[in-house]
Amino acid sequence: MSDIEALKQQLGGLQGEALAAFAAAADLDELGELRVRYLGKKGRLTEVLKGVGKLPPEERPAIGQSVNAVKQALAGALQEAEGKLAAEAARLRIEAERVDVTLPGRRRPRGAMHPVHKGLQEMTAIFSQMGFAIAEGPEIEDEFHNFDALNIPPEHPARAMHDTFFIRDMSNAEGEPMLLRTHTSPVQIRAMRRCLEEGEPPLAIVAPGRVYRCDYDVTHSPMFHQVEVFKVDRDMSLAELKGVLQHFLSTYFEKDVPIRLRPHYFPFTEPSAEVDIGCVFCSGSGCRICKHSGWLEVLGSGMIHPNVLAAVGIDTDAYSGFAFGLGVERLVMLKHGIPDLRLFFENDVRFLRRMGA
Ligand SMILES: [Zn+2]
């Protein structure tokens, strides 16, 4: 076989092999590698061309034409394969990104108010409608506002470390220790002082807020909420206190609840009374929750002790007042039949959902 015949055969074999490889390429990357292998500077076609130099000059044009024909065939086949693979890649990409417009949308869970906060707002609103102004005070208090001004003597057990959270290394300008307020009653002192700065009573305040005590069990939490309500005016009486309580409790529980005042002792009121309501679960006939008494204790109340009024400089001959503080969690538990206070603070969404939060 002459050299030229051998070269032509080589070219034919190369073309067949390359076309088959192009057609079988799985993707554009592989096709790119094949282009280099067959048509690149150091590729298979270049290798065959080296043989052309050995031919006599008169035979070279003929083989040159064959080489060009193979080159063109390969280039055309490459382009075609490239087009097919690019289209396939685009199809796959679109497939992967396809949006099913018939799928239902993702539901975002809706946030809601915590049952305790909701209760707090309900209660505050009822007093607000009765004409009580809303006031707030600091949660970090000094001993004067939390104890002394409220006629709580130094030996009172509430002032002990095991009942009250005192704040280490913190004192007010007078050097008194600071503490987390144990009740909302200090707002009485602050509001009365503010009132005197601007004028004279009457003064009717509702003060909702957080309070803190060293306590933790089924019915006690170290942090809980109170609503403090008080009024200072001329000729205040227990009858007015009872009327306000009756209206508030019946409105909050959404039914006419009987109430009774039981004599009690609080340092900051005199006389003082525990307030009971007819059991909202058994309507007074007796059940496990009211311990078969037909009554539920809901809050402490009384006529503001003259010592408290005097502590802020209110003339006790001219003015008197009533005050009570209620536990928000306690009332929300009674209204909704919740057995354990701790449910409010465990953040279990199943409980919160059932509460409509
Ligand atoms: Zn009962």
Side-chain angles (χ1 to χ4, degrees), residues 11 16 21 43 92-93 133 188 260 267 276 287:
L11 278 171
L92 286 173
R93 204 170 54 238
Q188 283 187 37
R260 72 175 185 191
D276 297 337
C287 68

Side-chain angles (χ1 to χ4, degrees), residues 47-186:
E47 219 162 275
V48 176
L49 282 173
K50 280 177 188 164
V52 177
K54 294 173 192 157
L55 291 176
E58 65 275 16
E59 287 179 345
R60 285 183 195 165
I63 198 71
Q65 274 176 7
S66 300
V67 167
N68 277 335
V70 169
K71 226 179 190 171
Q72 265 169 24
L74 294 192
L78 254 177
Q79 207 174 4
E80 195 186 321
E82 230 168 45
K84 251 165 64 182
L85 285 173
E88 175 66 7
R91 195 186 63 76
L92 286 173
R93 204 170 54 238
I94 289 164
E95 183 78 8
E97 289 170 1
R98 199 172 59 144
V99 174
D100 183 350
V101 294
T102 65
L103 277 175
R106 287 194 189 95
R107 245 173 229 286
R108 269 173 199 276
R110 216 152 44 110
M113 207 180 282
H114 190 276
V116 169
H117 200 74
K118 215 156 97 183
L120 194 84
Q121 288 205 340
E122 275 173 48
M123 293 170 206
T124 309
I126 295 169
F127 291 111
S128 192
Q129 281 158 11
M130 281 193 266
F132 288 83
I134 299 168
E136 282 181 335
E139 288 174 26
I140 296 177
E141 267 295 6
D142 52 37
E143 284 194 303
F144 174 78
H145 287 91
N146 197 81
F147 296 127
D148 298 281
L150 289 161
N151 201 37
I152 299 171
E155 68 278 7
H156 194 279
R159 300 177 78 135
M161 301 288 255
H162 61 262
D163 273 334
T164 299
F165 294 108
F166 284 89
I167 298 170
R168 201 182 291 154
D169 303 329
M170 189 176 175
S171 53
N172 66 2
E174 283 79 43
E176 279 180 52
M178 304 294 279
L179 48 91
L180 294 179
R181 66 178 179 187
T182 58
H183 48 184
T184 40
S185 305

Side-chain angles (χ1 to χ4, degrees), residues 279-292 294-296:
C279 179
V280 287
F281 298 102
C282 64
S283 299
S285 60
C287 68
R288 195 176 51 81
I289 294 160
C290 61
K291 298 192 182 90
H292 302 282
W295 294 95
L296 295 165

